[in-house]
Amino acid sequence: MISPALLRDEPDLVKANLARRGRELDLERFAALDAALRTARQEEEALRQERNAASAAIGELFKAGKKEEAEERKAAAAKLGDAISAARTKAEEAAKDFEGFMLALPNLLHASVPEGRSEEDNRLVRTEGEPPSFSFEVRDHVALGELHGMLDFAAGAAIARTRFAVLRGAGARLHRALGQLMLEKHVAEHGYEEHWLPYLVNAEALTNTGQLPKFGDEEEMFFSTRSDDLHLIPTAEVSLANLAAGRSFTASELPLRVAAHSPCFRREAGSYGQDTRGMLRQHQFDKVELVQVAAPEASEEAQLELLEHAEAVMKTLELPYRVVELCAGDTGAAASRTYDIEVWLPGQDRYREISSVSNDTDYQARRMKARYKDGGKDAYVHILNGSGVAVGRAWIAVIENGQREDGSIALPAALRPYFGGAEAISAP
């Protein structure tokens, strides 16, 4: 949630910022909701003060022995209770309307975010490594997976439905190895604390991180059909970031670095017809997620650090990749600025996203009331997240970039210990 005070004080600045995303800000609606909330709260407070004054006067009458007059005043004051109850209900409804308006607004963009409406307008930051060249016809991960008998979409569809897969043998082993390698690297080398977290979360947790209520994201999530208000996590960011909910951090506690390896569940309702072949866009996939909670003045540096940590995985896996900064129209609603890491996939002859690293500034912290206190300083913390990285897409990248003409798949040196020292997945 953006700051209501900022919206009151500098409405034109906020409107211009949101316009960069293609969002129209209804300032008249905001002013009306804000005024209604203020008036309702003032009316409730005035009635409370009137009741307090009446109670004090009644007490004085009893002390003075004027019991009859005191009882008359007491009967009249009792009616104030009903008026206060009605005023409180009115104030609560006004607060709900105001909060609903504020929750629907995206975060303010950082000044450096490039203009644009789609991924075509994203800014290239740098490219690392050279895509491999092959002297034979390149296979994509589907062909390689089927060649080795380690990727089975028919079994996934039979067990669940389309856009689910079964990995077996070397395929399952590679998937497990990738998740372990990433998590061990982030914990041992980058200083994150490992967590195992709920995969089902309530609506409040999703609202805290900005998945709800906005822009059809609820259509992207799987949720329980029973009345228990639980949703399957679309990313471990939800569970990890909510560890900060309601907390007041001291300077010595920041930055907080937490990580988790988890499955992620998404309907992919908004991507009908996209990436229907293979594992690029599945309803269930794994990801190692990194979250940092930082002091406001340190969050820009923290985002670059998060990016560096995600890139370290790519370098360890010896994968060619590039970093792009997302444009205004492609930046997620909760983010102020986002960098994507895109890995080279020979089977598609193009770079594809494998990690997003976002600085959400105080947008999530305001929703979950996560604060930072340092001496006389009292502010909301900044919360950042990044994929460190998507396990399934790393799986695709490793086998496609490591493929050989005979069908064998060369393994990066860092993965060989997970395969008993083998340098490759043998040809079938």
Side-chain angles (χ1 to χ4, degrees), residues 177-235:
L178 285 164
Q180 285 185 287
L181 181 148
M182 294 174 198
L183 196 54
E184 289 167 2
K185 188 173 192 66
H186 294 312
V187 171
E189 298 179 23
H190 302 150
Y192 291 82
E193 182 181 27
E194 181 178 353
H195 285 69
W196 183 81
L197 297 158
Y199 300 155
L200 285 163
V201 296
N202 57 37
E204 181 181 1
L206 289 161
T207 300
N208 283 344
T209 49
Q211 275 75 22
L212 295 177
K214 67 170 181 63
F215 317 128
D217 272 18
E218 190 162 19
E219 296 179 3
E220 292 291 337
M221 288 182 285
F222 289 97
F223 56 91
S224 170
T225 56
R226 300 182 65 178
S227 58
D228 48 19
D229 187 33
L230 292 175
H231 295 66
L232 286 162
I233 57 170
T235 165

Side-chain angles (χ1 to χ4, degrees), residues 50-327:
E50 184 179 349
R51 184 175 64 177
N52 291 341
S55 297
I58 291 167
E60 291 300 322
L61 287 171
F62 274 117
K63 288 180 182 179
K66 299 178 181 180
K67 183 177 180 182
E68 185 175 342
E69 185 180 353
E71 291 294 347
E72 289 177 1
R73 293 276 193 95
K74 190 175 180 181
K79 295 179 182 179
L80 285 172
D82 294 335
I84 290 171
S85 179
R88 182 171 60 249
T89 299
K90 182 179 178 181
E92 289 172 349
E93 290 175 351
K96 184 177 180 181
D97 290 342
F98 180 81
E99 183 181 50
F101 180 90
M102 294 302 300
L103 288 175
L105 298 178
N107 200 359
L108 299 181
L109 293 167
H110 191 278
S112 73
V113 173
E115 300 299 330
R117 286 286 177 265
S118 71
E119 64 180 32
E120 302 301 321
D121 301 311
N122 294 340
R123 176 192 294 152
L124 178 63
V125 177
R126 61 179 169 274
T127 301
E128 299 284 347
E130 291 291 331
S133 58
F134 299 95
S135 59
F136 54 90
E137 185 176 352
V138 172
R139 299 183 176 97
D140 68 6
H141 70 282
V142 177
L144 287 165
E146 291 175 347
L147 178 67
H148 285 266
M150 60 185 184
L151 177 58
D152 191 338
F153 291 105
I159 295 168
R161 68 185 199 200
T162 57
R163 292 202 174 184
F164 287 90
V166 169
L167 298 178
R168 61 168 61 96
R173 189 176 189 177
L174 176 59
H175 192 273
R176 171 170 54 85
L178 285 164
Q180 285 185 287
L181 181 148
M182 294 174 198
L183 196 54
E184 289 167 2
K185 188 173 192 66
H186 294 312
V187 171
E189 298 179 23
H190 302 150
Y192 291 82
E193 182 181 27
E194 181 178 353
H195 285 69
W196 183 81
L197 297 158
Y199 300 155
L200 285 163
V201 296
N202 57 37
E204 181 181 1
L206 289 161
T207 300
N208 283 344
T209 49
Q211 275 75 22
L212 295 177
K214 67 170 181 63
F215 317 128
D217 272 18
E218 190 162 19
E219 296 179 3
E220 292 291 337
M221 288 182 285
F222 289 97
F223 56 91
S224 170
T225 56
R226 300 182 65 178
S227 58
D228 48 19
D229 187 33
L230 292 175
H231 295 66
L232 286 162
I233 57 170
T235 165
E237 172 201 342
V238 176
S239 301
L240 285 171
N242 272 280
L243 294 172
R247 288 187 60 179
S248 181
F249 293 89
T250 62
S252 62
E253 293 176 305
L254 299 178
L256 177 71
R257 297 184 182 95
V258 290
H261 174 196
S262 79
C264 307
F265 305 91
R266 299 183 189 177
R267 291 186 181 275
E268 298 292 354
S271 59
Y272 181 77
Q274 296 182 37
D275 298 316
T276 55
R277 177 177 170 82
M279 286 176 55
L280 270 166
R281 204 176 292 274
Q282 296 279 283
H283 292 308
Q284 175 185 317
F285 61 94
D286 276 31
K287 184 154 59 82
V288 172
E289 187 71 9
L290 309 175
V291 166
Q292 287 200 28
V293 179
E297 62 273 14
S299 71
E300 290 192 24
E301 181 181 349
Q303 184 177 21
L304 296 178
E305 182 183 66
L306 263 171
L307 180 61
E308 181 183 337
H309 294 163
E311 286 188 74
V313 172
M314 305 300 291
K315 292 173 182 176
T316 297
L317 293 175
E318 303 170 32
L319 294 172
Y321 68 92
R322 68 183 186 183
V323 177
V324 298
E325 183 177 6
L326 301 195
C327 71

